[in-house]
Amino acid sequence: MVCKECGKEITDETLGYCPECLAPLDEPVVISMTKDDIKKANKDLEKKERELQKKAEAVSKTKAGEKAVKKKEKADLDAEYEGPFINLIGFVKSLGSDFNNLLIFIGAVLLYISPFMPWIWETLHKVHRKGNLFDIAGKTADMSLKAPVIGVMGVLILVSGFMMLLVSAREYIKPLWKIRNNFIVKMVPALLSVIAVVLVFMDKNYKNGLAGMKELKDVANSLGQSSVYSYGRGLGPILCIAGIAIYVIAVLLDYLKNKSE
């Protein structure tokens, strides 16, 4: 046998290769394919492509159908409300059956009454001095006149508290029915109240007022006397921050509940 690569004669064909150039002695494998075979392969390929296209169309139709169903369900829910403009009885009942809604209501009430705490204390204890309606943490009576931002922020806290109360009754007030599950809308009053509290706490006059009241309290304690400046007016900011925290937690719980359902 002669090697096809180098032309040298090979005496031992059992080696399977040329001892001179090491070229393999096996014959190359030749695959023969007719035109009919090529046509058949093309047809099979076209058939698979059509099947894939049909599957893709079916998936698309299914998704479109699911979206249509969800859209119809939402429209049906939006059109469900047929009660009075304000369903007060239904709202009161919901506070006993819906824990999340009860928390939202409690947080809203705490935030709403926090600016009134000094005035409430003075009224209950008959302290005859000019009160400041927006004294949320023990400021002197005229501080809001010196720092208008404190009065403005007090009003903003009241507005935020009122908005939270509306959120707690969202399912029982007709205009609020369609946005009752809107997470962003429900977080707006919390964001506004946080901004208001931060701006008040950062106010220079506010800080000075607290420091002055602390000094008066310390002097009164050192003399063994009580002071009208130490009657727990700090309850305002505690209620304010607690109200915001409870409200945010309740809204998050309500969001998770709606998402799971």
Side-chain angles (χ1 to χ4, degrees):
M1 181 178 179
V2 178
C3 176
K4 294 181 180 180
E5 295 294 330
C6 63
K8 184 177 179 61
E9 184 176 353
I10 301 171
T11 56
D12 188 0
E13 298 180 6
T14 60
L15 293 175
Y17 60 89
C18 174
E20 182 68 23
C21 66
L22 302 179
L25 300 181
D26 296 336
E27 294 293 330
V29 178
V30 178
I31 300 175
S32 60
M33 182 176 287
T34 64
K35 291 182 178 180
D36 292 337
D37 293 332
I38 295 174
K39 288 181 180 180
K40 185 177 182 303
N42 288 335
K43 286 181 178 179
D44 291 340
L45 181 60
E46 290 175 358
K47 183 179 179 181
K48 289 182 178 179
E49 288 179 349
R50 286 195 296 269
E51 290 176 353
L52 290 174
Q53 181 66 25
K54 287 180 180 179
K55 288 181 179 179
E57 290 176 356
V59 171
S60 179
K61 288 180 180 178
T62 301
K63 290 183 177 179
E66 289 176 352
K67 287 182 179 179
V69 170
K70 289 181 180 179
K71 188 174 181 181
K72 185 177 183 306
E73 288 177 349
K74 185 177 182 301
D76 291 342
L77 285 173
D78 290 341
E80 262 182 25
Y81 189 87
E82 297 178 354
F85 188 81
I86 298 178
N87 186 359
L88 184 59
I89 296 176
F91 169 61
V92 173
K93 289 182 178 179
S94 73
L95 298 179
S97 59
D98 190 336
F99 180 71
N100 293 342
N101 205 43
L102 177 61
L103 283 182
I104 291 175
F105 178 75
I106 292 174
V109 170
L110 292 179
L111 178 66
Y112 190 79
I113 67 173
S114 61
F116 293 97
M117 291 311 298
W119 175 76
I120 293 173
W121 195 97
E122 290 167 2
T123 301
L124 292 176
H125 292 78
K126 298 180 180 180
V127 177
H128 301 292
R129 59 189 293 271
K130 184 179 179 181
N132 179 4
L133 185 64
F134 304 118
D135 186 351
I136 67 169
K139 300 180 299 299
T140 55
D142 62 342
M143 189 178 294
S144 63
L145 299 177
K146 296 178 181 178
V149 66
I150 295 177
V152 173
M153 292 303 103
V155 172
L156 184 57
I157 289 174
L158 290 177
V159 171
S160 299
F162 182 71
M163 291 172 65
M164 289 181 181
L165 288 173
L166 290 179
V167 169
S168 67
R170 65 199 178 281
E171 296 185 3
Y172 302 92
I173 301 177
K174 192 170 185 178
L176 302 180
W177 175 257
K178 291 185 178 182
I179 60 172
R180 66 192 181 282
N181 292 326
N182 191 310
F183 178 75
I184 296 177
V185 170
K186 289 189 282 189
M187 288 301 293
V188 168
L191 179 61
L192 292 178
S193 56
V194 168
I195 292 173
V197 170
V198 171
L199 289 177
V200 169
F201 285 0
M202 291 176 62
D203 186 79
K204 182 179 179 180
N205 290 295
Y206 178 84
K207 293 179 180 179
N208 291 338
L210 289 180
M213 294 186 72
K214 184 178 183 302
E215 291 177 2
L216 289 172
K217 178 183 176 181
D218 292 341
V219 170
N221 289 338
S222 65
L223 297 174
Q225 299 177 359
S226 61
S227 170
V228 294
Y229 294 102
S230 62
Y231 49 58
R233 289 155 64 92
L235 186 60
I238 294 175
L239 293 183
C240 185
I241 295 172
I244 296 173
I246 292 173
Y247 177 85
V248 171
I249 292 172
V251 169
L252 290 174
L253 291 175
D254 193 59
Y255 170 77
L256 294 175
K257 175 185 174 183
N258 292 332
K259 189 175 181 180
S260 64
E261 290 177 352

